[in-house]
Amino acid sequence: MAEFTLTLHARDEAQPDLHKVSVVAEGELPEYGQVWVWDILYARQLFALGEVQAAQDLKETLELWAVNMSSKVFQPHGHILSKGYLDLSENLQLVSGDDVPATAEGDRQVVVSVDGQAGQLPDVVVSPESLTAEERQDLVLGLGQYFNFENPMFARELPIHVLAMRKYYADINLPHTQIALDEAPFFAIQKAMEYFQAANQGTVQ
């Protein structure tokens, strides 16, 4: 069992377009399982958003980052981190809880709980369930940003997963459909495994 408490901090009047998010992690989640959790979270938030501009904006933000990042996945984590290549969005900043007032007025806390057996897709629960479109965007980007910084394995795999999900949503089922909710994460995992197997064999073009 693992829990990730994300605080979506109230806007700073001096930087109204900057979304600040802090993350506190509790419990154990294997490194290889983090990208599975994120895939499920992403698919569910796109489904919950439905056919609105916020869903398209989230997809475009992540897909643009993934296209730019896909050529750098085998570079050292420290290098791409220092260059800012792991920043998912220029409008989102991952901050330490010590750098901002604790539970300031206007802050919003969202908890992502993860449970499951090793080697199986995890059960991912978001609380509260009722979130604004902006909060759903910040949730996906904030947790992805946290994993990107903390886990070199996640940072290497995330661009491939995002691009696989883009292909799924473009060619197979739209993100607001019930079937995509379940299938898109599986599709991303499968395609990423195929990509890295090919890369290990030296056959990725």
Side-chain angles (χ1 to χ4, degrees), residues 46-72:
L46 287 180
F47 176 79
L49 284 167
E51 299 179 82
V52 298
Q53 186 60 43
Q56 188 61 31
D57 291 345
L58 178 58
K59 283 180 81 277
E60 289 179 357
T61 296
L62 286 164
E63 289 166 7
L64 177 62
W65 173 82
V67 168
N68 292 331
M69 183 60 201
S70 60
S71 62
K72 305 177 180 68

Side-chain angles (χ1 to χ4, degrees), residues 78-100:
H79 171 73
I80 56 178
L81 180 61
S82 67
K83 292 289 187 179
Y85 298 150
L86 297 182
D87 295 339
L88 297 179
S89 168
E90 63 181 12
N91 294 324
L92 184 128
Q93 181 181 3
L94 193 69
V95 298
S96 165
D98 297 333
D99 296 336
V100 292

Side-chain angles (χ1 to χ4, degrees), residues 31-39 65 73 77 86 88 140-141 143-162 196:
E31 287 189 341
Y32 68 83
Q34 291 178 359
V35 73
W36 295 3
V37 167
W38 188 89
D39 287 349
W65 173 82
V73 294
H77 186 256
L86 297 182
L88 297 179
V140 171
L141 293 171
L143 192 59
Q145 192 71 79
Y146 174 77
F147 287 152
N148 242 7
F149 287 175
E150 295 290 322
N151 181 3
M153 183 187 302
F154 180 92
R156 184 174 67 247
E157 292 209 6
L158 182 61
I160 310 306
H161 283 245
V162 170
F196 286 107

